[in-house]
PDB file of all heavy atoms in Angstrom:
ATOM      1  N   PRO A 190      74.854 102.769 120.465  1.00 95.00           N
ATOM      2  CA  PRO A 190      75.420 103.425 119.284  1.00 95.00           C
ATOM      3  C   PRO A 190      76.817 104.059 119.590  1.00 95.00           C
ATOM      4  O   PRO A 190      77.058 104.522 120.746  1.00 95.00           O
ATOM      5  CB  PRO A 190      74.390 104.540 118.992  1.00 95.00           C
ATOM      6  CG  PRO A 190      73.716 104.817 120.318  1.00 95.00           C
ATOM      7  CD  PRO A 190      73.754 103.507 121.006  1.00 95.00           C
ATOM      8  N   SER A 191      77.622 104.103 118.559  1.00 94.00           N
ATOM      9  CA  SER A 191      78.915 104.720 118.672  1.00 94.00           C
ATOM     10  C   SER A 191      78.776 106.185 118.233  1.00 94.00           C
ATOM     11  O   SER A 191      77.738 106.591 117.674  1.00 94.00           O
ATOM     12  CB  SER A 191      79.953 104.063 117.834  1.00 94.00           C
ATOM     13  OG  SER A 191      79.617 104.040 116.467  1.00 94.00           O
ATOM     14  N   GLN A 192      79.879 106.961 118.379  1.00 95.00           N
ATOM     15  CA  GLN A 192      79.860 108.352 117.944  1.00 95.00           C
ATOM     16  C   GLN A 192      79.671 108.404 116.390  1.00 95.00           C
ATOM     17  O   GLN A 192      79.039 109.261 115.782  1.00 95.00           O
ATOM     18  CB  GLN A 192      81.081 109.031 118.315  1.00 95.00           C
ATOM     19  CG  GLN A 192      81.163 109.292 119.846  1.00 95.00           C
ATOM     20  CD  GLN A 192      80.030 110.168 120.353  1.00 95.00           C
ATOM     21  OE1 GLN A 192      79.597 111.148 119.698  1.00 95.00           O
ATOM     22  NE2 GLN A 192      79.447 109.826 121.514  1.00 95.00           N
ATOM     23  N   ASP A 194      78.089 106.115 114.579  1.00 95.00           N
ATOM     24  CA  ASP A 194      76.637 105.898 114.247  1.00 95.00           C
ATOM     25  C   ASP A 194      75.807 107.136 114.394  1.00 95.00           C
ATOM     26  O   ASP A 194      74.916 107.421 113.586  1.00 95.00           O
ATOM     27  CB  ASP A 194      76.159 104.760 115.206  1.00 95.00           C
ATOM     28  CG  ASP A 194      76.845 103.446 114.982  1.00 95.00           C
ATOM     29  OD1 ASP A 194      77.373 103.255 113.887  1.00 95.00           O
ATOM     30  OD2 ASP A 194      76.872 102.611 115.950  1.00 95.00           O
ATOM     31  N   ILE A 195      76.089 107.907 115.462  1.00 96.00           N
ATOM     32  CA  ILE A 195      75.292 109.172 115.629  1.00 96.00           C
ATOM     33  C   ILE A 195      75.590 110.156 114.474  1.00 96.00           C
ATOM     34  O   ILE A 195      74.634 110.788 114.021  1.00 96.00           O
ATOM     35  CB  ILE A 195      75.668 109.754 117.081  1.00 96.00           C
ATOM     36  CG1 ILE A 195      75.265 108.723 118.127  1.00 96.00           C
ATOM     37  CG2 ILE A 195      74.895 111.075 117.267  1.00 96.00           C
ATOM     38  CD1 ILE A 195      75.746 109.148 119.520  1.00 96.00           C
ATOM     39  N   LYS A 196      76.769 110.320 114.177  1.00 96.00           N
ATOM     40  CA  LYS A 196      77.150 111.301 113.186  1.00 96.00           C
ATOM     41  C   LYS A 196      76.556 110.958 111.764  1.00 96.00           C
ATOM     42  O   LYS A 196      76.016 111.749 111.065  1.00 96.00           O
ATOM     43  CB  LYS A 196      78.686 111.454 113.024  1.00 96.00           C
ATOM     44  CG  LYS A 196      79.164 112.430 111.997  1.00 96.00           C
ATOM     45  CD  LYS A 196      80.636 112.532 111.858  1.00 96.00           C
ATOM     46  CE  LYS A 196      81.104 113.534 110.863  1.00 96.00           C
ATOM     47  NZ  LYS A 196      80.501 113.282 109.554  1.00 96.00           N
ATOM     48  N   THR A 198      73.976 109.022 111.250  1.00 97.00           N
ATOM     49  CA  THR A 198      72.518 109.120 111.254  1.00 97.00           C
ATOM     50  C   THR A 198      72.106 110.612 111.023  1.00 97.00           C
ATOM     51  O   THR A 198      71.172 110.868 110.299  1.00 97.00           O
ATOM     52  CB  THR A 198      72.012 108.661 112.601  1.00 97.00           C
ATOM     53  OG1 THR A 198      72.422 107.318 112.845  1.00 97.00           O
ATOM     54  CG2 THR A 198      70.492 108.767 112.726  1.00 97.00           C
ATOM     55  N   ARG A 199      72.784 111.509 111.665  1.00 96.00           N
ATOM     56  CA  ARG A 199      72.411 112.921 111.487  1.00 96.00           C
ATOM     57  C   ARG A 199      72.671 113.398 110.058  1.00 96.00           C
ATOM     58  O   ARG A 199      71.944 114.180 109.496  1.00 96.00           O
ATOM     59  CB  ARG A 199      73.145 113.770 112.500  1.00 96.00           C
ATOM     60  CG  ARG A 199      72.622 113.528 113.924  1.00 96.00           C
ATOM     61  CD  ARG A 199      73.445 114.306 114.940  1.00 96.00           C
ATOM     62  NE  ARG A 199      72.880 114.145 116.327  1.00 96.00           N
ATOM     63  CZ  ARG A 199      73.417 114.641 117.434  1.00 96.00           C
ATOM     64  NH1 ARG A 199      74.623 115.224 117.376  1.00 96.00           N
ATOM     65  NH2 ARG A 199      72.886 114.462 118.588  1.00 96.00           N
ATOM     66  N   ILE A 202      69.865 112.166 107.978  1.00 97.00           N
ATOM     67  CA  ILE A 202      68.600 112.848 108.260  1.00 97.00           C
ATOM     68  C   ILE A 202      68.645 114.182 107.459  1.00 97.00           C
ATOM     69  O   ILE A 202      67.654 114.550 106.853  1.00 97.00           O
ATOM     70  CB  ILE A 202      68.456 113.173 109.755  1.00 97.00           C
ATOM     71  CG1 ILE A 202      68.185 111.821 110.429  1.00 97.00           C
ATOM     72  CG2 ILE A 202      67.401 114.151 109.975  1.00 97.00           C
ATOM     73  CD1 ILE A 202      68.125 111.944 111.975  1.00 97.00           C
ATOM     74  N   SER A 225      67.278 102.283 119.810  1.00 97.00           N
ATOM     75  CA  SER A 225      66.673 103.272 118.836  1.00 97.00           C
ATOM     76  C   SER A 225      67.351 104.614 119.151  1.00 97.00           C
ATOM     77  O   SER A 225      67.298 105.180 120.206  1.00 97.00           O
ATOM     78  CB  SER A 225      65.169 103.350 119.080  1.00 97.00           C
ATOM     79  OG  SER A 225      64.645 104.475 118.432  1.00 97.00           O
ATOM     80  N   LEU A 226      67.996 105.143 118.091  1.00 97.00           N
ATOM     81  CA  LEU A 226      68.637 106.437 118.254  1.00 97.00           C
ATOM     82  C   LEU A 226      67.577 107.520 118.391  1.00 97.00           C
ATOM     83  O   LEU A 226      67.882 108.580 119.016  1.00 97.00           O
ATOM     84  CB  LEU A 226      69.525 106.751 117.024  1.00 97.00           C
ATOM     85  CG  LEU A 226      70.979 106.289 117.126  1.00 97.00           C
ATOM     86  CD1 LEU A 226      71.036 104.721 117.026  1.00 97.00           C
ATOM     87  CD2 LEU A 226      71.840 106.867 116.116  1.00 97.00           C
ATOM     88  N   LYS A 227      66.445 107.330 117.916  1.00 96.00           N
ATOM     89  CA  LYS A 227      65.353 108.314 118.135  1.00 96.00           C
ATOM     90  C   LYS A 227      64.894 108.365 119.590  1.00 96.00           C
ATOM     91  O   LYS A 227      64.728 109.437 120.156  1.00 96.00           O
ATOM     92  CB  LYS A 227      64.156 108.065 117.191  1.00 96.00           C
ATOM     93  CG  LYS A 227      63.021 109.066 117.331  1.00 96.00           C
ATOM     94  CD  LYS A 227      61.868 108.733 116.345  1.00 96.00           C
ATOM     95  CE  LYS A 227      60.710 109.787 116.492  1.00 96.00           C
ATOM     96  NZ  LYS A 227      59.679 109.451 115.539  1.00 96.00           N
ATOM     97  N   SER A 228      64.784 107.199 120.175  1.00 95.00           N
ATOM     98  CA  SER A 228      64.426 107.101 121.564  1.00 95.00           C
ATOM     99  C   SER A 228      65.508 107.645 122.520  1.00 95.00           C
ATOM    100  O   SER A 228      65.168 108.198 123.568  1.00 95.00           O
ATOM    101  CB  SER A 228      64.075 105.623 121.966  1.00 95.00           C
ATOM    102  OG  SER A 228      63.076 105.116 121.168  1.00 95.00           O
ATOM    103  N   LEU A 229      66.761 107.590 122.016  1.00 95.00           N
ATOM    104  CA  LEU A 229      67.866 108.082 122.864  1.00 95.00           C
ATOM    105  C   LEU A 229      68.071 109.570 122.603  1.00 95.00           C
ATOM    106  O   LEU A 229      68.947 110.137 123.245  1.00 95.00           O
ATOM    107  CB  LEU A 229      69.124 107.299 122.496  1.00 95.00           C
ATOM    108  CG  LEU A 229      69.120 105.799 122.832  1.00 95.00           C
ATOM    109  CD1 LEU A 229      70.427 105.134 122.337  1.00 95.00           C
ATOM    110  CD2 LEU A 229      69.015 105.584 124.321  1.00 95.00           C
ATOM    111  N   GLY A 230      67.374 110.140 121.689  1.00 94.00           N
ATOM    112  CA  GLY A 230      67.455 111.570 121.470  1.00 94.00           C
ATOM    113  C   GLY A 230      68.515 111.987 120.494  1.00 94.00           C
ATOM    114  O   GLY A 230      68.903 113.190 120.409  1.00 94.00           O
ATOM    115  N   TYR A 231      69.016 111.129 119.666  1.00 93.00           N
ATOM    116  CA  TYR A 231      70.130 111.444 118.757  1.00 93.00           C
ATOM    117  C   TYR A 231      69.622 111.786 117.356  1.00 93.00           C
ATOM    118  O   TYR A 231      70.527 112.062 116.444  1.00 93.00           O
ATOM    119  CB  TYR A 231      71.135 110.250 118.632  1.00 93.00           C
ATOM    120  CG  TYR A 231      71.818 109.932 119.892  1.00 93.00           C
ATOM    121  CD1 TYR A 231      71.765 108.702 120.510  1.00 93.00           C
ATOM    122  CD2 TYR A 231      72.621 110.932 120.555  1.00 93.00           C
ATOM    123  CE1 TYR A 231      72.445 108.399 121.688  1.00 93.00           C
ATOM    124  CE2 TYR A 231      73.309 110.734 121.739  1.00 93.00           C
ATOM    125  CZ  TYR A 231      73.224 109.434 122.327  1.00 93.00           C
ATOM    126  OH  TYR A 231      73.861 109.119 123.431  1.00 93.00           O
ATOM    127  N   CYS A 232      68.382 111.731 117.111  1.00 91.00           N
ATOM    128  CA  CYS A 232      67.836 112.027 115.803  1.00 91.00           C
ATOM    129  C   CYS A 232      67.511 113.507 115.586  1.00 91.00           C
ATOM    130  O   CYS A 232      67.062 113.922 114.516  1.00 91.00           O
ATOM    131  CB  CYS A 232      66.609 111.179 115.444  1.00 91.00           C
ATOM    132  SG  CYS A 232      67.058 109.402 115.208  1.00 91.00           S
ATOM    133  N   ALA A 233      67.680 114.344 116.606  1.00 85.00           N
ATOM    134  CA  ALA A 233      67.458 115.763 116.452  1.00 85.00           C
ATOM    135  C   ALA A 233      68.575 116.438 115.778  1.00 85.00           C
ATOM    136  O   ALA A 233      69.733 116.208 116.213  1.00 85.00           O
ATOM    137  CB  ALA A 233      67.128 116.360 117.822  1.00 85.00           C
ATOM    138  N   VAL A 234      68.317 117.149 114.724  1.00 74.00           N
ATOM    139  CA  VAL A 234      69.394 117.872 114.005  1.00 74.00           C
ATOM    140  C   VAL A 234      69.132 119.383 114.023  1.00 74.00           C
ATOM    141  O   VAL A 234      68.009 119.852 114.267  1.00 74.00           O
ATOM    142  CB  VAL A 234      69.586 117.381 112.561  1.00 74.00           C
ATOM    143  CG1 VAL A 234      70.022 115.928 112.561  1.00 74.00           C
ATOM    144  CG2 VAL A 234      68.240 117.549 111.823  1.00 74.00           C
TER     145      VAL A 234
END
Side-chain angles (χ1 to χ4, degrees):
S191 63
Q192 292 298 321
D194 295 336
I195 298 172
K196 181 181 182 304
T198 301
R199 290 176 174 173
I202 291 176
S225 168
L226 271 70
K227 183 178 180 179
S228 301
L229 297 174
Y231 293 122
C232 287
V234 295

